[in-house]
Amino acid sequence: APPPAAPPPGQGAYGQPPAQPYQQATTAVGPDGSPLAEPWKRIVALLLDGLGLYIIIGIPTAVVIGGGVSTTSTVGDDLLQSFIAGVVTTVIYFLYYSLMIGYTGKTVAGMILSIKVIADTGQPVTPAHGFKRSAWTLLGIVTCIGALSQLVLVIWGLVNLFNDPLRQTPWDKFGETVVVEG
């Protein structure tokens, strides 16, 4: 019997496409060509910055508010003190993230983890990017609904870290930024 005929060019046995050699996994890259920051780094950075700010601002504020309540104060006074403390804390968080990102492209945790924020055009960020990107933190001023809105944004952000091609969270999209290694 004659030997089996060779498959036509561009086809493997039985009309299937030819086997491809193993391909290396490609790393997702940002608009400047840098690798995108890994989701775990972004999550850890957010937690570290939040913890650091809480230690620096939250604990002293709680002590002042807790120490400021007296037996002669009214419930209204206590609520007003708590509201003012919440506003001050929220504004400090907003300014921290806005100024650090807007002027350096990194927060303290970003520096530790070697990740940075760039504009979605691939250029360095500007203060305007920092303020827009951090605007969501101001929702904390709105009692109850603000915290719920922030929770929804964080969940949405977590989903995007694993599903969006550029791993952009809602605040990245609003701020027109991308987080890359660096």
Side-chain angles (χ1 to χ4, degrees):
Q11 285 191 352
Y14 308 108
Q16 299 296 319
Q20 297 294 317
Y22 289 104
Q23 297 177 351
Q24 282 188 334
T26 57
T27 302
V29 295
D32 68 341
S34 299
L36 294 174
E38 292 293 328
W40 73 266
K41 281 188 173 185
R42 296 196 54 190
I43 294 166
V44 170
L46 187 63
L47 292 173
L48 284 176
D49 281 325
L51 180 63
L53 286 169
Y54 176 73
I55 290 169
I56 293 168
I57 301 161
I59 292 174
T61 301
V63 169
V64 168
I65 293 298
V69 177
S70 70
T71 55
T72 60
S73 67
T74 65
V75 173
D77 292 341
D78 293 345
L79 289 175
L80 181 60
Q81 282 182 323
S82 294
F83 176 75
I84 291 170
V87 169
V88 169
T89 301
T90 299
V91 170
I92 290 172
Y93 272 69
F94 170 72
L95 290 174
Y96 168 76
Y97 285 109
S98 298
L99 297 174
M100 291 296 292
I101 295 299
Y103 287 99
T104 68
K106 299 179 179 188
T107 62
V108 172
M111 292 175 197
I112 293 168
L113 295 167
S114 297
I115 60 176
K116 67 179 179 179
V117 179
I118 61 170
D120 61 8
T121 60
Q123 300 298 313
V125 287
T126 64
H129 289 107
F131 284 105
K132 281 178 67 177
R133 187 174 189 275
S134 303
W136 75 283
T137 62
L138 293 174
L139 288 170
I141 292 173
V142 182
T143 308
C144 295
I145 295 172
L148 182 60
S149 300
Q150 285 179 319
L151 177 63
V152 168
L153 283 172
V154 167
I155 292 169
W156 182 8
L158 287 171
V159 169
N160 280 12
L161 281 180
F162 296 96
N163 293 309
D164 187 87
L166 290 176
R167 298 182 184 149
Q168 286 180 296
T169 60
W171 48 93
D172 287 320
K173 290 180 184 285
F174 184 72
E176 302 170 337
T177 60
V178 176
V179 183
V180 295
E181 295 289 333

